[in-house]
Amino acid sequence: MKKGTIKGFSKLNKRGKIKWIVENFFKDPEAVMHELVSYWHGSEEQQKVLDGFSENTISNFPMPFSVAPNFVINDQVYAIPMVIEESSVVAAAASAARYWMDRGGFKATVLSTIKVGQIHLSCLQDFSILSSWFDSNKKAILDSCCDVTANMVERGGGILGAQLLSFSEEEDYYQIRIQFETCDSMGANFINTVLETIAQTLVARHQNDFGDQSHLQIIMCILSNYTPESLVRASVSCPIHKLGKVAGLSPLQFAHRFAKAVRIAEIDPYRATTHNKGIFNGIDAVVLATGNDFRAVEACGHTYAARDGQYRSLSHCMVDETHFTFWLEIPMAIGTVGGLTKIHPIAKRSIEMLGNPSAQQLMQIITAVGLAQNFAAIRSLVTTGIQKGHMKMHLSNLLNQLKATEAEFRMAVEYFKDKVVSHKAVHDFLSILRSPDVPQEETE
Amino acid sequence: MKKGTIKGFSKLNKRGKIKWIVENFFKDPEAVMHELVSYWHGSEEQQKVLDGFSENTISNFPMPFSVAPNFVINDQVYAIPMVIEESSVVAAAASAARYWMDRGGFKATVLSTIKVGQIHLSCLQDFSILSSWFDSNKKAILDSCCDVTANMVERGGGILGAQLLSFSEEEDYYQIRIQFETCDSMGANFINTVLETIAQTLVARHQNDFGDQSHLQIIMCILSNYTPESLVRASVSCPIHKLGKVAGLSPLQFAHRFAKAVRIAEIDPYRATTHNKGIFNGIDAVVLATGNDFRAVEACGHTYAARDGQYRSLSHCMVDETHFTFWLEIPMAIGTVGGLTKIHPIAKRSIEMLGNPSAQQLMQIITAVGLAQNFAAIRSLVTTGIQKGHMKMHLSNLLNQLKATEAEFRMAVEYFKDKVVSHKAVHDFLSILRSPDVPQEETE
């Protein structure tokens, strides 16, 4: 075995894992072990639940748990739980929420809720033969999983339809695409189990009807994270004059600058990427806080942004003679039951903070927060610029970390008004301040 | 004020914020307050640092901090820190690492490291006039920020070039696209500060030369998260026979099934989305663990996946007569200095666990983990199916949460072998087991 490799790591207990890690990869094993343990939860039972979410866990990675109050969505007031490590995201969301609260709030609608599963097949048969066989056997094949779907059907969900597809780019390859309604669950486990069950029936029946010659093989079965028909729309709108004066701009000037910024993200992929990234700052913060899977929501949203052949903005803006309207349309598959939503202790509290919403309500909330985030970012960008707020936060983080006193804090804020804030620069600044040659200001 | 809305929330202290939240949005305020406080770090000073990362923080949201050992990347051994709430991701990464450790490990190369910034302009001038003016003033304009870039230039970075662009879809709109080298930092703060400085010079010089008539206005300045020329490649390769027997398949059968699965993700966006989502399971876990920004990495990677007009797989596979090769090419902008990397206490330890890599080394590590994750997922999908492992983990999470005894654990594992695992189903199962009518097995 090479140095630093190990057999049976997963079988060590947690202290054993930490011991091996700190001894092999750290210069100060004792201090690191102590620090990692300091992040465990005080209750052993609670910590056991947290450790169960993943494998080879040695500690908790703390993410800030924040709240953005004053969100009015479909006339309902929410305080939004957000989990995000990037400074100024929560402040921006809260500020946009407050702004729109006085202007009618956010409106959101779920346009569709269809989830997708795929069975990928390799088969030597002609598409026409397989296709007609599939059509006449479809009902029996889909019905074969009714034990598995019974619970979901009772809740109003289940299988909605299925199609056999062929792809000109790849011979011998066919796909069965299946649509699902999964109610308040994201549906990954349900869909995957259904697909694997159906696939077994499919192969058995096909072999029964055609024997081995046509050689139908399952390559794989899995849900698709691309769900363009699980679509939600959030919008804000008000008469232009109600926008008020924004950072010295008249309401009309602001509306046009804002619309132009959105338009740019519609035509330039380099800008669209950053623009949508800002939307996901808000979306992911709520997705994480509610125990949902942000990789799934990201992948789905970005694929959707590229659906017409060019990657574009997910949000849009219209300024007509009287009104300003700004909206976001995005597909997402999330749940309020299943997965970690009710298992993660803080995620469970997030769901509760939101009034135990249905999955559709949570889709609306998440999308409204994404739109709010986008609104706040563009408003900053087209007025004061984004750096002012960012640098202030970054400086404050660094000063906290370097244990600056209040007096040092004040001097640093003044000094860095027109300079790039970096760890080194702030460190150097404090070193000079703290050198014995500098007269020390009185501090508490 | 509507019920549930508030003025000045951000000005309350942390206990004040929690008090307002729990009293307005929870049925059991005391219990929630107690629970939120129980997630604070034991050291007040440490907690203050954590609270500084975001705004309106009321607690920490614990994510599992895990380790995937045995990663051999460019002949160097790594234990990889991973932060991910989805079960089986870390186990899969560790398993793929172990598999490739005996087959030459991962090879990774950084192909380019160019970051991008954009100044968006509105201007009534003809493109040709503005363009020739820009070319003759470019040097002076770029030089105007040399105070801001001095430090970065010293470290080997700075501005690499700049171009004025026009877009046929939008009149009066031009863009200055600027390329940067930002060394070991992700560069967002640096690039944004440079852009805002340059923009001021640009406007001043333009006004000086043309006066107000041509009305050049800055719409906004900001980095682009799309960095297709900050590109990294990771690969694994071995003679086909060395793949060994995989879940009953011969090495050659496995290689072809695997390649077919990758091929499907190259041609079908519905599959590509899920395929790439799996890659990001690994990528984001390391991005998060090292204090980098996963929204930026996600947005960049997905836009790149759609660069030829159709959203496709980011990884590729080639099986020739003798060899199996599997690789991933993805752009990303990450850092090992700046941002949270050295401020977040656990992120700092992650960077240390990886041997304090440069940004380029971290790009290689992250990409290798993404490839490993993808390999493990496809290997499961084309052999045993993905549900087996997933459901096992999910069941175990639920049983932990419901405080199942070891005996109940064993019975549940047996019972759920062929059933869909859900919170309700496991809860019902345990309720029946625990009802007074059922004879209780002896437990410790």
Side-chain angles (χ1 to χ4, degrees), chain B residues 16-74:
Chain B
K17 288 194 184 87
I18 297 185
K19 193 164 176 293
W20 184 80
I21 290 288
V22 297
E23 283 173 359
N24 279 276
F25 295 94
F26 288 91
K27 285 195 191 108
D28 47 353
E30 286 295 316
V32 180
M33 158 126 18
H34 181 81
E35 187 170 8
L36 290 173
V37 171
S38 82
Y39 280 88
W40 294 4
H41 192 271
S43 147
E44 208 177 309
E45 202 171 72
Q46 192 65 278
Q47 185 58 43
K48 198 177 159 196
V49 171
L50 300 176
D51 286 336
F53 300 156
S54 184
E55 304 82 35
N56 293 351
T57 47
I58 57 174
S59 190
N60 303 320
F61 186 95
M63 296 275 284
F65 184 61
S66 303
V67 175
N70 298 326
F71 264 89
V72 178
I73 305 169
N74 294 340

Coordinates of all heavy atoms in Angstrom, one line a residue, chain B residues 16-74:
Chain B
G16 N -32.6 38.2 19.5 CA -33.8 38.9 19.2 C -34.4 38.4 17.9 O -35.7 38.3 17.7
K17 N -33.6 38.1 16.9 CA -34.0 37.6 15.6 C -34.7 36.3 15.8 O -35.8 36.0 15.3 CB -32.8 37.4 14.7 CG -32.2 38.7 14.1 CD -31.3 38.4 12.9 CE -30.6 39.6 12.4 NZ -29.4 39.9 13.2
I18 N -34.1 35.4 16.6 CA -34.7 34.1 16.8 C -36.0 34.2 17.5 O -37.0 33.6 17.1 CB -33.8 33.2 17.7 CG1 -32.4 32.9 16.9 CG2 -34.4 31.8 18.0 CD1 -31.5 31.9 17.6
K19 N -36.1 35.1 18.5 CA -37.3 35.3 19.3 C -38.5 35.7 18.3 O -39.5 35.1 18.4 CB -37.1 36.4 20.3 CG -38.2 36.5 21.4 CD -37.7 37.3 22.6 CE -38.8 37.5 23.6 NZ -39.9 38.3 23.2
W20 N -38.2 36.7 17.5 CA -39.2 37.1 16.6 C -39.7 36.0 15.6 O -40.9 35.8 15.4 CB -38.7 38.4 15.8 CG -39.8 38.9 14.9 CD1 -40.9 39.7 15.3 CD2 -40.0 38.6 13.5 NE1 -41.7 40.0 14.2 CE2 -41.2 39.3 13.1 CE3 -39.3 37.9 12.5 CZ2 -41.7 39.3 11.8 CZ3 -39.8 37.8 11.2 CH2 -41.0 38.5 10.8
I21 N -38.7 35.3 15.1 CA -39.0 34.2 14.1 C -39.9 33.1 14.8 O -40.9 32.7 14.3 CB -37.7 33.5 13.6 CG1 -36.9 34.5 12.7 CG2 -38.0 32.2 12.9 CD1 -37.6 34.7 11.3
V22 N -39.4 32.6 16.0 CA -40.1 31.5 16.6 C -41.5 31.9 17.0 O -42.5 31.1 17.0 CB -39.3 30.8 17.7 CG1 -38.0 30.3 17.2 CG2 -39.1 31.8 18.9
E23 N -41.6 33.2 17.5 CA -43.0 33.6 18.0 C -43.9 33.8 16.8 O -45.1 33.7 17.0 CB -42.8 34.9 18.8 CG -42.3 34.6 20.2 CD -42.0 35.8 21.0 OE1 -42.2 37.0 20.5 OE2 -41.6 35.7 22.2
N24 N -43.4 34.2 15.7 CA -44.3 34.4 14.5 C -44.5 33.3 13.6 O -45.5 33.2 12.9 CB -43.8 35.6 13.7 CG -44.1 36.9 14.3 OD1 -45.2 37.5 14.1 ND2 -43.2 37.5 15.1
F25 N -43.6 32.3 13.6 CA -43.7 31.2 12.6 C -43.7 29.8 13.1 O -43.7 28.9 12.3 CB -42.6 31.4 11.5 CG -42.8 32.7 10.8 CD1 -42.1 33.8 11.1 CD2 -43.6 32.7 9.7 CE1 -42.2 35.0 10.4 CE2 -43.8 33.9 9.0 CZ -43.1 35.1 9.4
F26 N -43.7 29.7 14.4 CA -43.7 28.3 15.0 C -44.7 28.1 16.1 O -45.1 29.0 16.8 CB -42.3 28.0 15.5 CG -41.2 27.8 14.5 CD1 -40.5 28.9 14.0 CD2 -41.0 26.5 13.9 CE1 -39.5 28.7 13.0 CE2 -40.1 26.4 12.9 CZ -39.3 27.4 12.5
K27 N -45.1 26.8 16.2 CA -46.2 26.5 17.2 C -45.5 26.3 18.6 O -46.2 26.5 19.6 CB -46.9 25.3 16.8 CG -47.9 25.6 15.7 CD -49.0 24.5 15.5 CE -49.8 24.7 14.2 NZ -49.4 23.8 13.1
D28 N -44.3 25.9 18.6 CA -43.6 25.6 19.8 C -42.3 26.4 20.0 O -41.2 25.9 19.9 CB -43.2 24.1 19.9 CG -42.6 23.6 18.7 OD1 -42.5 24.3 17.7 OD2 -42.1 22.4 18.7
P29 N -42.5 27.7 20.2 CA -41.4 28.7 20.1 C -40.2 28.3 21.0 O -39.0 28.3 20.6 CB -42.0 30.0 20.6 CG -43.4 29.9 20.4 CD -43.8 28.4 20.5
E30 N -40.5 27.8 22.2 CA -39.4 27.5 23.2 C -38.5 26.4 22.6 O -37.3 26.5 22.6 CB -40.0 27.0 24.5 CG -40.6 28.2 25.3 CD -39.5 29.1 25.8 OE1 -38.5 28.7 26.2 OE2 -39.7 30.4 25.7
A31 N -39.2 25.3 22.2 CA -38.4 24.1 21.7 C -37.6 24.5 20.4 O -36.4 24.1 20.3 CB -39.4 23.0 21.3
V32 N -38.1 25.3 19.6 CA -37.4 25.7 18.3 C -36.2 26.6 18.7 O -35.1 26.4 18.2 CB -38.3 26.4 17.3 CG1 -37.5 26.8 16.1 CG2 -39.5 25.6 17.0
M33 N -36.4 27.5 19.6 CA -35.3 28.4 20.0 C -34.2 27.5 20.6 O -33.0 27.7 20.3 CB -35.8 29.4 21.1 CG -34.7 30.0 21.9 SD -34.4 31.7 22.1 CE -35.7 32.7 21.6
H34 N -34.6 26.6 21.5 CA -33.6 25.7 22.1 C -32.8 24.9 21.1 O -31.6 24.8 21.1 CB -34.3 24.8 23.1 CG -33.4 23.9 23.8 ND1 -32.7 24.2 24.9 CD2 -33.1 22.6 23.6 CE1 -32.0 23.2 25.3 NE2 -32.2 22.2 24.5
E35 N -33.6 24.4 20.1 CA -32.9 23.6 19.1 C -32.0 24.4 18.2 O -30.8 24.0 17.9 CB -34.0 22.9 18.2 CG -33.3 21.9 17.2 CD -34.4 21.1 16.5 OE1 -35.6 21.4 16.6 OE2 -33.9 20.2 15.7
L36 N -32.4 25.6 17.8 CA -31.5 26.5 17.0 C -30.2 26.8 17.8 O -29.1 26.8 17.2 CB -32.3 27.7 16.6 CG -33.4 27.5 15.6 CD1 -34.2 28.8 15.3 CD2 -32.9 27.0 14.2
V37 N -30.4 27.1 19.0 CA -29.2 27.5 19.8 C -28.3 26.3 20.0 O -27.1 26.4 20.1 CB -29.7 28.1 21.2 CG1 -28.5 28.2 22.1 CG2 -30.4 29.4 21.0
S38 N -28.9 25.1 20.1 CA -28.0 23.9 20.3 C -27.1 23.7 19.1 O -26.1 22.9 19.2 CB -28.9 22.7 20.5 OG -29.4 22.1 19.2
Y39 N -27.4 24.3 17.9 CA -26.5 24.1 16.8 C -25.4 25.2 16.7 O -24.5 25.2 15.8 CB -27.3 24.1 15.5 CG -27.8 22.7 15.3 CD1 -29.1 22.3 15.8 CD2 -27.1 21.7 14.6 CE1 -29.5 21.0 15.7 CE2 -27.5 20.4 14.5 CZ -28.8 20.1 15.0 OH -29.2 18.8 14.9
W40 N -25.4 26.2 17.7 CA -24.3 27.1 17.7 C -23.0 26.4 18.1 O -23.0 25.4 18.8 CB -24.6 28.2 18.8 CG -25.7 29.1 18.5 CD1 -26.6 29.0 17.4 CD2 -26.2 30.2 19.2 NE1 -27.5 30.0 17.5 CE2 -27.3 30.8 18.6 CE3 -25.8 30.8 20.4 CZ2 -28.0 31.9 19.1 CZ3 -26.5 31.9 20.9 CH2 -27.6 32.4 20.2
H41 N -21.9 27.0 17.7 CA -20.6 26.4 18.1 C -20.4 26.8 19.6 O -20.8 27.8 20.0 CB -19.5 27.0 17.2 CG -18.2 26.3 17.4 ND1 -17.3 26.6 18.4 CD2 -17.7 25.2 16.8 CE1 -16.3 25.8 18.3 NE2 -16.5 24.9 17.4
G42 N -19.7 25.9 20.3 CA -19.4 26.1 21.7 C -18.6 27.4 22.0 O -18.8 28.0 23.1
S43 N -17.8 27.8 21.1 CA -17.0 29.0 21.3 C -17.7 30.2 20.7 O -18.0 30.2 19.5 CB -15.6 28.8 20.7 OG -15.1 30.0 20.2
E44 N -17.9 31.2 21.5 CA -18.6 32.4 21.1 C -17.8 33.1 19.9 O -18.4 33.6 19.0 CB -18.8 33.3 22.2 CG -20.0 34.2 22.1 CD -20.2 35.1 23.3 OE1 -20.2 34.5 24.5 OE2 -20.3 36.3 23.2
E45 N -16.5 33.1 20.1 CA -15.7 33.7 19.2 C -15.7 33.1 17.8 O -15.9 33.7 16.7 CB -14.2 33.7 19.7 CG -13.3 34.7 19.1 CD -12.0 34.7 19.9 OE1 -11.2 33.7 19.7 OE2 -11.7 35.6 20.7
Q46 N -15.7 31.7 17.8 CA -15.8 30.9 16.6 C -17.1 31.2 15.9 O -17.2 31.3 14.7 CB -15.6 29.5 17.0 CG -15.4 28.5 15.8 CD -14.1 28.8 15.1 OE1 -14.0 29.7 14.3 NE2 -13.1 28.0 15.4
Q47 N -18.2 31.2 16.7 CA -19.5 31.4 16.2 C -19.7 32.7 15.5 O -20.3 32.9 14.5 CB -20.6 31.2 17.3 CG -22.0 31.3 16.8 CD -22.3 30.2 15.7 OE1 -21.9 29.1 15.8 NE2 -23.0 30.6 14.6
K48 N -19.0 33.7 16.1 CA -19.0 35.1 15.5 C -18.5 35.1 14.1 O -19.0 35.7 13.2 CB -18.2 36.0 16.4 CG -18.6 37.5 16.2 CD -17.8 38.4 17.1 CE -17.8 39.8 16.6 NZ -16.7 40.6 17.2
V49 N -17.4 34.3 13.9 CA -16.8 34.2 12.5 C -17.8 33.5 11.6 O -18.0 34.0 10.5 CB -15.5 33.3 12.6 CG1 -15.0 33.0 11.2 CG2 -14.4 34.1 13.4
L50 N -18.5 32.5 12.1 CA -19.4 31.8 11.2 C -20.6 32.7 10.9 O -21.1 32.7 9.8 CB -20.0 30.5 11.9 CG -19.0 29.4 12.3 CD1 -19.6 28.3 13.1 CD2 -18.3 28.9 11.1
D51 N -21.1 33.5 11.9 CA -22.2 34.4 11.7 C -21.9 35.4 10.6 O -22.7 36.0 10.0 CB -22.6 35.0 13.0 CG -23.4 34.0 13.9 OD1 -23.9 33.0 13.3 OD2 -23.4 34.2 15.1
G52 N -20.6 35.8 10.5 CA -20.2 36.8 9.6 C -20.3 36.5 8.2 O -20.2 37.3 7.3
F53 N -20.4 35.2 7.8 CA -20.4 34.8 6.4 C -21.6 35.2 5.7 O -21.7 35.4 4.5 CB -20.3 33.3 6.3 CG -19.1 32.7 6.9 CD1 -19.1 31.3 7.3 CD2 -17.9 33.4 7.0 CE1 -17.9 30.8 7.9 CE2 -16.8 32.9 7.6 CZ -16.8 31.5 8.0
S54 N -22.7 35.4 6.4 CA -24.0 35.8 5.8 C -24.7 36.8 6.7 O -24.1 37.3 7.6 CB -24.8 34.5 5.6 OG -26.0 34.8 4.9
E55 N -25.9 37.2 6.3 CA -26.6 38.2 7.1 C -27.8 37.5 7.8 O -28.3 36.4 7.3 CB -27.1 39.3 6.2 CG -26.0 40.0 5.5 CD -25.6 39.3 4.2 OE1 -26.5 38.7 3.6 OE2 -24.4 39.2 3.9
N56 N -28.4 38.1 8.8 CA -29.6 37.5 9.5 C -29.4 36.1 9.9 O -30.3 35.3 9.9 CB -30.8 37.6 8.6 CG -31.2 39.1 8.3 OD1 -30.7 40.0 8.9 ND2 -32.1 39.2 7.4
T57 N -28.2 35.7 10.3 CA -27.9 34.3 10.7 C -28.5 34.1 12.1 O -28.5 34.9 13.0 CB -26.4 34.0 10.8 OG1 -25.8 35.1 11.5 CG2 -25.8 33.9 9.4
I58 N -29.2 32.9 12.2 CA -29.7 32.6 13.5 C -29.1 31.3 14.1 O -29.3 31.0 15.2 CB -31.3 32.5 13.5 CG1 -31.8 31.5 12.5 CG2 -31.9 33.9 13.2 CD1 -33.3 31.3 12.5
S59 N -28.5 30.5 13.2 CA -27.9 29.2 13.7 C -27.0 28.7 12.6 O -26.7 29.4 11.6 CB -29.0 28.2 14.0 OG -28.4 27.1 14.7
N60 N -26.5 27.5 12.8 CA -25.7 26.9 11.7 C -26.5 25.7 11.2 O -27.2 25.0 11.9 CB -24.4 26.3 12.3 CG -23.6 27.3 13.0 OD1 -23.4 28.4 12.5 ND2 -23.0 27.0 14.2
F61 N -26.4 25.5 9.9 CA -27.0 24.4 9.2 C -25.9 23.4 9.0 O -25.0 23.6 8.2 CB -27.6 24.9 7.9 CG -28.4 23.8 7.1 CD1 -29.8 23.8 7.3 CD2 -27.8 22.9 6.3 CE1 -30.6 22.8 6.6 CE2 -28.6 21.9 5.7 CZ -30.0 21.9 5.8
P62 N -26.0 22.3 9.7 CA -24.9 21.3 9.6 C -25.0 20.5 8.4 O -26.0 19.9 8.1 CB -25.1 20.5 10.9 CG -26.5 20.5 11.2 CD -27.0 21.8 10.7
M63 N -23.9 20.5 7.6 CA -23.8 19.6 6.5 C -22.7 18.5 6.9 O -21.8 18.8 7.6 CB -23.3 20.3 5.2 CG -24.2 21.4 4.8 SD -25.5 20.7 3.6 CE -24.5 20.5 2.1
P64 N -22.9 17.3 6.4 CA -21.9 16.2 6.8 C -20.6 16.5 6.2 O -20.5 16.8 5.0 CB -22.5 14.9 6.2 CG -23.9 15.3 5.7 CD -23.9 16.7 5.5
F65 N -19.5 16.5 7.0 CA -18.2 16.7 6.6 C -17.5 15.3 6.5 O -17.3 14.6 7.5 CB -17.4 17.6 7.5 CG -16.0 17.9 7.1 CD1 -15.8 18.5 5.9 CD2 -14.9 17.5 7.8 CE1 -14.5 18.9 5.4 CE2 -13.6 17.8 7.4 CZ -13.4 18.5 6.2
S66 N -17.3 14.8 5.3 CA -16.8 13.4 5.0 C -15.5 13.4 4.4 O -15.0 14.4 3.9 CB -17.8 12.7 4.1 OG -19.1 12.7 4.7
V67 N -14.9 12.2 4.3 CA -13.6 12.0 3.7 C -13.7 10.8 2.7 O -14.2 9.8 3.1 CB -12.5 11.8 4.7 CG1 -11.2 11.5 4.0 CG2 -12.3 13.0 5.6
A68 N -13.2 11.0 1.5 CA -13.1 9.9 0.6 C -11.6 9.6 0.4 O -10.9 10.4 -0.3 CB -13.7 10.2 -0.8
P69 N -11.0 8.6 1.0 CA -9.6 8.3 0.9 C -9.2 7.6 -0.4 O -10.1 7.3 -1.2 CB -9.3 7.4 2.1 CG -10.6 6.6 2.2 CD -11.7 7.5 1.7
N70 N -7.9 7.4 -0.6 CA -7.4 6.6 -1.6 C -7.5 7.2 -3.1 O -7.5 6.4 -4.0 CB -8.0 5.2 -1.6 CG -7.7 4.5 -0.3 OD1 -6.6 4.6 0.3 ND2 -8.7 3.7 0.1
F71 N -7.6 8.5 -3.1 CA -7.6 9.1 -4.5 C -6.1 9.3 -4.9 O -5.3 10.0 -4.3 CB -8.2 10.5 -4.4 CG -9.7 10.4 -4.9 CD1 -10.7 10.2 -3.9 CD2 -10.0 10.6 -6.2 CE1 -12.0 10.1 -4.3 CE2 -11.3 10.5 -6.6 CZ -12.4 10.3 -5.7
V72 N -5.8 8.6 -6.0 CA -4.4 8.9 -6.6 C -4.6 9.7 -7.8 O -5.3 9.3 -8.8 CB -3.8 7.5 -7.0 CG1 -2.4 7.8 -7.6 CG2 -3.6 6.7 -5.7
I73 N -4.1 10.9 -7.8 CA -4.3 11.9 -8.9 C -2.9 12.4 -9.3 O -2.1 12.9 -8.4 CB -5.1 13.1 -8.4 CG1 -6.5 12.6 -7.9 CG2 -5.3 14.1 -9.6 CD1 -7.3 13.7 -7.2
N74 N -2.5 12.2 -10.5 CA -1.2 12.5 -11.0 C -0.1 11.9 -10.0 O 0.8 12.6 -9.6 CB -1.0 14.0 -11.1 CG -1.9 14.6 -12.2 OD1 -2.3 13.8 -13.1 ND2 -2.1 15.9 -12.2

